[in-house]
Amino acid sequence: LAIRDLSALRHHEQDHRDFAAAVQELNLLVTEAEGDVRGYHITTDEQFREDYLRSKQRADDALAVLGEHPTGGSDDSVSELVRLTHRRFELLDEALDLRDEQGMDAVAEFIRGEPSTLTNQVRILADAVIEESAARADTEARSADRRAAFAGGAVLAASVAAFGLLLWIALLNRRRARQARDAEAALRHRFGAFAQAMPSASFSVFADYTIVDWNAAATNAFGVDPAAAIGADLRYLIPGDPGVRIVAALDEARSTGAAVDLELVVRPEGGPQVDLEGVAFPILGAEGPMMGAVLRDLTALHEVQRAEEATRGIMRLVVETSVEAIITVNRRGRILLFNPAAERYLRIPATEAVGRDLLEFIAGGDRAAVREALAGVRRGGTASSEAPQLRIRARAFDGSEFPAEANVASLGDAGEATAAVTLRDLSDQERWERSLTEARLQAEAANLAKSQFLSRMSHELRTPMNVILGYSQLLELDEQATQEQKDSVGHIHKAGRHLLALIDEVLDLSRVEGGELSLSLEPVLLAELANESVAMIRPLAAANQVRFETDSDSCQYMVMADKQRIKQVLINLLSNAIKYNVPQGSVDLSCTHAGDGTVRLLVRDTGPGLSEAQQARIFQPFERLGAEFSPVPGTGLGLALCKRLVEAMSGRIGVTSEVGRGSTFWVDLPEAEDTFEPGPQSAPRAVLSPLSRGSIANVLYIEDNLSNFRVIEEVARRIGNIRLIPAMQGGLGLDLARESQPDLVLLDLDLPDMPGTEVLQALRGDPRTGSVPVVVITADASARQEERLLDAGAAAYLTKPVDLSALRATFARFLEEPA
């Protein structure tokens, strides 16, 4: 009986120790879980949520063990402790969800309610359960002692022979005591390992503040190794205010029997400041009064909080100083924030605007679009980078309206505010857009007027030139004319050609500047271009007693250029080098590779040279640098046109010169990689030779200028087999075309009764004349007009003054009969 009672005594003592340790571990886990939830509330860092879930799982395991533990406490107390702990975790889960859905303010309001009361209830009940278990264990121990004493007395009184049995009982008791000490040591070791693994600083002390336990996190927080801490007096180990506050909290926890919140700022020697937050608590069921503390390092968290506060301050400053109206609204579209720019734009103080419906400040026609944008934000949220941009009309509080650009963006989990709306006043932009549109329309009108002017000037200048050059060409072919007459005609023809060149250069320069001159870039062999240009310009060189020195071998390069236009540039440079040279001077034409993907064409002369001031003005229109007072003819447009043409072909042009030592003009053009293959050369055809035709061809000429008609009539007479039918008006020409069914129609565009374009359209649309070829002869030399009329059905396009060879070729194309 004594052995049994002593065994029960030790068993009750061990059960009580294990039960108390389980309750203490449960309290530690609940404290850890609350700290994790608090960290998530402040930072929304998912690591805190994961730590909380792990603490919750371990607490569930501890609760399961506690519910099955054979304690000396009442079942009702333990069940109530389990129920309250489960409820505490349910509230922590609700607090996490509330933080995700409504923000920090809602969580703070929630925590001030049931969770705060429940936490104290759990702690008080845990202490009560431990005390009840201790009391029950103490009662059982005293009863066992009494029973053991009674049984021992009975045995001693019965027989001294039982001494051996008592000795055996004593040895057994000693063994049980050793087992109890080993179990307690194992328990301490287990909790010591748990404390060492904790990320929070933890330590425990006796009532005299002698340190019993000191984990690694405490070493990091206070800068004291466990070897120096354990056994030392806590009051002298942590100096200053942190030590005083810790001791005060431990004293309060011991006197009240409840946990005490504790916040510290410590600065270990030689280390940075550390912010600690946790609880001090009494340790029940120990051999003597003991206290402990668990402190979590919140330095990083506080730094994040300070950074967030600084960011909030910056954002407040940005919002308040923004030139755009910034408005935040809740889910119902009610205004929560109204910055100073919004007050200026919408002419209402923020105090009066807050609480109003945002749509009150949107014009009626645009409210549906803003409402839909807000609904989209509520449905799925919209990132600021994807915020819809709306062009709306905003309405100020005084009823005035102004154009604005509105952006609607989601604010995520920013609390009550769900969307931010920014408004930017577009009044100045609309005025600028209107002025830009007006300027564009004016520019288009000016461009149209310019085109009309060029077309009209081309017509007015080329029409009389058609008569002058036409008759001069005919007179040069007159075999009965005397030499004196031929010389006079030659002067007329030369002057006419000069005037025509001036007209062409003015028109070309205007087209290049207006972007209307079309270019056909293709690979061009510079050697061939140089030989052709020199051949054309050599008579002028001979007349001016200037020698040509052409290095064709150096020009075996292919360049990308419009062959006709680059030839025009080269001839202009060569003619200038000849005209402005000295008697018995020379002109050198050569090429070189520039090394940067371009080929340079060089024209050197031995003329008087140019000063730096003259070189700066040489490519300006109508600038002849004093040559206008010399007998050398010119317009001052040649080099200006050359510059525009070269630049339009992605090239460059320039000059180097020295007074008294001549000038060198150079042109850089992009090099081409194509291989040059010379095409077949067509033999020149005789001018005004008879047509190969056995019958008379009827040609209807619709032209209101009688002089122009006479020129074409004389050409037709000299060619032969052509009967020219005149029509001075467009309507008459249409009637004659339908009646006579001509073989060819020559059509002028500037007619007194109707435009020539309408005549062409009528001829093409009539089945009786639809197959008759129509050749347009006009003074409008624009490429755009030529393209437009060829697309409209014209068979060919000739410009006035008409080149007789070109006119003869046109007649041959449409009137000659096959052999």
Side-chain angles (χ1 to χ4, degrees):
L1 177 61
I3 293 171
R4 185 184 63 196
D5 289 340
L6 289 173
S7 176
L9 172 63
R10 294 299 183 185
H11 183 70
H12 283 301
E13 289 178 352
Q14 185 63 39
D15 286 345
H16 166 67
R17 291 177 183 273
D18 292 345
F19 180 76
V23 174
Q24 291 287 358
E25 181 178 8
L26 180 62
N27 279 337
L28 286 174
L29 291 172
V30 172
T31 301
E32 284 289 317
E34 290 176 347
D36 293 331
V37 171
R38 192 177 299 113
Y40 182 78
H41 289 167
I42 297 173
T43 67
T44 67
D45 186 349
E46 288 297 329
Q47 184 62 44
F48 284 110
R49 182 188 284 270
E50 294 175 4
D51 292 344
Y52 163 72
L53 293 177
R54 283 193 292 270
S55 298
K56 179 182 177 183
Q57 181 60 47
R58 292 167 59 192
D60 289 341
D61 296 341
L63 286 171
V65 173
L66 192 65
E68 300 174 356
H69 203 285
T71 68
S74 66
D75 293 339
D76 292 340
S77 298
V78 174
S79 299
E80 181 65 13
L81 177 61
V82 172
R83 186 188 70 80
L84 290 179
T85 304
H86 278 304
R87 177 57 182 163
R88 183 68 184 108
F89 276 104
E90 289 176 0
L91 292 176
L92 290 176
D93 290 338
E94 292 181 20
L96 287 176
D97 295 338
L98 195 62
R99 176 65 178 90
D100 291 338
E101 295 174 359
Q102 300 185 24
M104 188 62 186
D105 295 339
V107 172
E109 183 66 25
F110 174 75
I111 290 176
R112 285 194 289 268
E114 182 181 357
S116 177
T117 303
L118 187 60
T119 298
N120 292 331
Q121 291 177 354
V122 170
R123 290 173 179 169
I124 293 171
L125 183 58
D127 295 342
V129 168
I130 292 175
E131 290 177 358
E132 184 180 349
S133 174
R136 181 66 60 86
D138 184 62
T139 300
E140 293 291 339
R142 286 195 296 269
S143 176
D145 286 341
R146 287 194 298 270
R147 288 195 300 271
F150 175 78
V155 170
L156 288 172
S159 176
V160 177
F163 175 75
L165 178 62
L166 291 176
L167 180 60
W168 180 80
I169 291 173
L171 293 174
L172 181 62
N173 288 342
R174 184 176 180 182
R175 179 182 177 188
R176 293 292 187 183
R178 186 173 64 252
Q179 290 176 343
R181 288 194 298 273
D182 292 343
E184 183 177 354
L187 181 61
R188 284 184 175 276
H189 178 74
R190 184 167 69 249
F191 277 97
F194 172 75
Q196 290 297 327
M198 287 175 59
S200 300
S202 69
F203 56 86
S204 61
V205 298
F206 287 123
D208 61 354
Y209 304 107
T210 300
I211 298 174
V212 180
D213 298 303
W214 187 269
N215 74 343
T219 299
N220 296 333
F222 297 101
V224 179
D225 293 334
I230 295 176
D233 191 320
L234 178 67
R235 292 170 295 184
Y236 305 109
L237 187 70
I238 304 176
D241 180 71
V244 173
R245 297 183 66 180
I246 292 174
V247 170
L250 291 173
D251 288 343
E252 183 181 349
R254 182 177 60 180
S255 62
T256 62
V260 178
D261 291 336
L262 185 59
E263 292 185 6
L264 301 173
V265 176
V266 299
R267 189 183 298 275
E269 185 176 355
Q273 174 180 306
V274 179
D275 299 337
L276 300 175
E277 179 181 314
V279 293
F281 53 88
I283 301 177
L284 304 177
E287 296 176 354
M290 292 184 65
M291 297 84 75
V294 176
L295 299 169
R296 185 169 187 172
D297 186 351
L298 297 181
T299 306
L301 176 60
H302 290 169
E303 289 178 355
V304 171
Q305 290 174 334
R306 287 190 289 270
E308 286 184 350
E309 184 60 31
T311 302
R312 292 192 188 99
I314 294 173
M315 291 305 299
R316 283 194 296 269
L317 182 62
V318 170
V319 169
E320 291 173 359
T321 60
S322 173
V323 298
E324 295 184 353
I326 300 178
I327 304 169
T328 63
V329 297
N330 61 15
R331 295 185 64 85
R332 294 180 298 156
R334 297 290 177 177
I335 296 174
L336 301 177
L337 181 145
F338 206 75
N339 76 334
E343 293 180 324
R344 293 194 302 272
Y345 285 176
L346 301 175
R347 297 179 176 86
I348 181 175
T351 53
E352 298 182 23
V354 172
R356 292 178 177 270
D357 191 336
L358 173 68
L359 297 181
E360 292 182 23
F361 301 100
I362 308 299
D366 296 320
R367 289 181 179 177
V370 175
R371 187 183 295 111
E372 177 60 28
L374 291 173
V377 167
R378 288 195 296 270
R379 284 194 299 268
T382 305
S384 59
S385 60
E386 302 171 353
Q389 295 184 351
L390 307 174
R391 189 78 175 259
I392 64 170
R393 292 198 66 79
R395 174 176 292 172
F397 187 66
D398 60 5
S400 61
E401 295 184 2
F402 60 91
E405 180 183 79
N407 288 46
V408 182
S410 171
L411 291 179
D413 58 349
E416 185 181 0
T418 59
V421 180
T422 61
L423 295 176
R424 183 164 63 93
D425 189 349
L426 299 181
S427 300
D428 292 340
Q429 181 176 330
E430 275 203 353
R431 284 191 292 269
W432 176 78
E433 288 176 350
R434 283 196 299 269
S435 63
L436 186 63
T437 301
E438 292 174 359
R440 180 177 57 81
L441 293 176
Q442 292 175 0
E444 291 176 353
N447 190 49
L448 178 61
K450 175 184 175 182
S451 298
Q452 292 175 345
F453 168 76
L454 290 176
S455 177
R456 191 65 188 174
M457 187 178 72
S458 175
H459 181 273
E460 295 299 329
L461 294 177
R462 285 176 175 272
T463 297
M465 290 303 302
N466 185 53
V467 178
I468 296 172
L469 293 179
Y471 274 113
S472 65
Q473 290 179 77
L474 291 174
L475 289 174
E476 285 180 334
L477 298 175
D478 189 358
E479 297 179 354
Q480 298 180 358
T482 65
Q483 187 61 43
E484 183 179 356
Q485 291 172 333
K486 290 183 179 181
D487 291 341
S488 299
V489 170
H491 287 302
I492 295 173
H493 194 195
K494 183 177 180 181
R497 285 295 176 186
H498 176 71
L499 184 56
L500 180 60
L502 174 61
I503 295 171
D504 287 339
E505 287 179 348
V506 170
L507 294 178
D508 280 349
L509 185 62
S510 300
R511 291 192 190 101
V512 172
E513 291 179 342
E516 299 178 0
L517 186 66
S518 61
L519 298 174
S520 177
L521 300 182
E522 59 182 348
V524 176
L525 181 62
L526 283 183
E528 179 182 299
L529 180 69
N531 291 332
E532 293 178 1
S533 302
V534 168
M536 294 180 63
I537 210 71
R538 196 174 292 278
L540 179 63
N544 285 268
Q545 300 179 0
V546 173
R547 300 188 313 276
F548 256 123
E549 297 178 5
T550 305
D551 186 3
S552 299
D553 293 337
S554 67
C555 294
Q556 300 297 324
Y557 295 107
M558 300 288 292
V559 296
M560 291 299 296
D562 184 303
K563 185 174 182 179
Q564 177 183 352
R565 295 302 180 179
I566 191 59
K567 188 174 182 179
Q568 180 180 352
V569 170
L570 182 54
I571 290 176
N572 192 293
L573 295 179
L574 290 173
S575 62
N576 284 348
I578 294 171
K579 291 188 296 183
Y580 299 104
N581 213 315
V582 295
Q584 306 301 323
S586 64
V587 174
D588 180 18
L589 174 61
S590 62
C591 305
T592 183
H593 199 285
D596 56 351
T598 61
V599 177
R600 174 163 292 187
L601 188 67
L602 299 158
V603 177
R604 298 184 182 90
D605 65 59
T606 57
L610 300 169
S611 65
E612 291 186 1
Q614 289 175 320
Q615 293 177 45
R617 307 196 315 269
I618 190 67
F619 294 104
Q620 296 179 8
F622 301 104
E623 181 62 71
R624 297 197 64 198
L625 307 179
E628 60 270 22
F629 304 110
S630 70
V632 180
T635 63
L637 291 173
L639 289 176
L641 178 59
C642 288
K643 180 176 175 61
R644 306 299 196 280
L645 290 174
V646 170
E647 291 176 349
M649 291 183 284
S650 302
R652 295 173 300 174
I653 187 172
V655 61
T656 57
S657 183
E658 185 178 349
V659 176
R661 301 180 65 87
S663 304
T664 300
F665 285 82
W666 53 265
V667 175
D668 288 346
L669 293 170
E671 186 176 12
E673 298 180 357
D674 301 57
T675 302
F676 176 75
E677 296 181 1
Q681 301 294 324
S682 58
R685 301 190 59 176
V687 177
L688 304 185
S689 58
L691 294 176
S692 299
R693 185 180 178 89
S695 59
I696 300 298
N698 292 319
V699 177
L700 174 63
Y701 188 13
I702 306 176
E703 167 68 74
D704 64 326
N705 190 298
L706 186 59
S707 298
N708 288 333
F709 176 79
R710 295 300 183 195
V711 173
I712 304 302
E713 183 181 41
E714 180 62 23
V715 172
R717 183 186 68 78
R718 296 197 179 202
I719 293 176
N721 293 333
I722 295 177
R723 181 169 59 238
L724 202 62
I725 304 173
M728 306 295 288
Q729 293 183 345
L732 177 60
L734 289 175
D735 293 339
L736 291 175
R738 296 183 184 112
E739 293 176 3
S740 62
Q741 296 290 307
D743 299 294
L744 179 66
V745 174
L746 304 179
L747 174 63
D748 183 35
L749 296 181
D750 192 14
L751 299 172
D753 59 333
M754 60 190 302
T757 54
E758 294 184 9
V759 175
L760 175 62
Q761 185 178 6
L763 290 172
R764 292 279 72 87
D766 193 328
R768 292 169 292 179
T769 58
S771 60
V772 178
V774 178
V775 175
V776 174
I777 301 181
T778 177
D780 189 345
S782 64
R784 183 178 301 175
Q785 178 77 315
E786 178 179 357
E787 182 180 358
R788 189 161 48 238
L789 289 175
L790 291 176
D791 291 340
Y797 192 94
L798 298 177
T799 57
K800 299 177 183 177
V802 179
D803 182 79
L804 299 189
S805 297
L807 181 60
R808 168 63 179 78
T810 302
F811 282 151
R813 174 184 172 188
F814 296 108
L815 299 179
E816 279 192 337
E817 297 174 344

